Amino acid sequence: MKHVSRLALSLFMALGVAAPAAAQMQSRDQMQMQDRERIYGYELMTPQERTEYQARMRALNTEQEREAFRLEHHRKMQERAKAQGKTLPDAPPGMGPGMMGPGGGKGMGPGGGRGSGY
């Protein structure tokens, strides 16, 4: 019986250590999925390029600056896809005409804040 208790204790201790690591991996996976949805051409970019893109977006101060950066990024990703013989949609998934992007319309009433959001 003592052997079973030690085995159970070992198992609980192992799970106690593994659970936070599993939660961290799941959180990282969720963040990557969100990035994939938010960054146009994500699949054509290196991890460093994605990090730089996100840092640049955070550093921009106005929505006009962010929109100009998005448009330039969109053009570059279209060129990269064409050079690789691939195609990208005209807009990121879920970002068709009239759709709001991540954070779009914050603090606005119904129907406000329409934009590309990527």
Side-chain angles (χ1 to χ4, degrees):
M1 187 69 145
K2 219 174 202 183
H3 181 66
V4 172
S5 296
R6 285 186 183 163
L7 179 62
L9 179 61
S10 297
L11 180 61
F12 287 130
M13 289 177 64
L15 288 175
V17 173
Q24 187 177 19
M25 286 190 326
Q26 183 178 12
S27 176
R28 183 180 41 190
D29 290 344
Q30 288 173 339
M31 288 174 53
Q32 287 176 342
M33 285 291 280
Q34 290 173 348
D35 289 346
R36 229 176 254 128
E37 293 172 1
R38 282 188 249 182
I39 301 176
Y40 184 77
Y42 175 95
E43 61 276 13
L44 301 176
M45 299 169 71
T46 66
Q48 181 178 349
E49 287 174 320
R50 293 178 202 133
T51 300
E52 290 169 0
Y53 175 91
Q54 291 170 327
R56 177 81 188 274
M57 285 297 282
R58 283 188 212 101
L60 297 171
N61 296 316
T62 67
E63 186 55 37
Q64 289 79 14
E65 291 172 331
R66 287 187 287 276
E67 185 62 21
F69 179 65
R70 283 185 199 104
L71 290 172
E72 178 62 18
H73 174 75
H74 186 280
R75 184 189 63 74
K76 287 179 181 178
M77 291 299 104
Q78 286 285 339
E79 287 178 6
R80 185 177 294 186
K82 186 176 180 180
Q84 294 179 11
K86 299 178 180 178
T87 58
L88 290 174
D90 288 334
M95 299 307 304
M99 301 292 289
M100 281 192 273
K106 280 187 177 176
M108 300 181 137
R114 294 183 190 275
S116 66
Y118 67 92

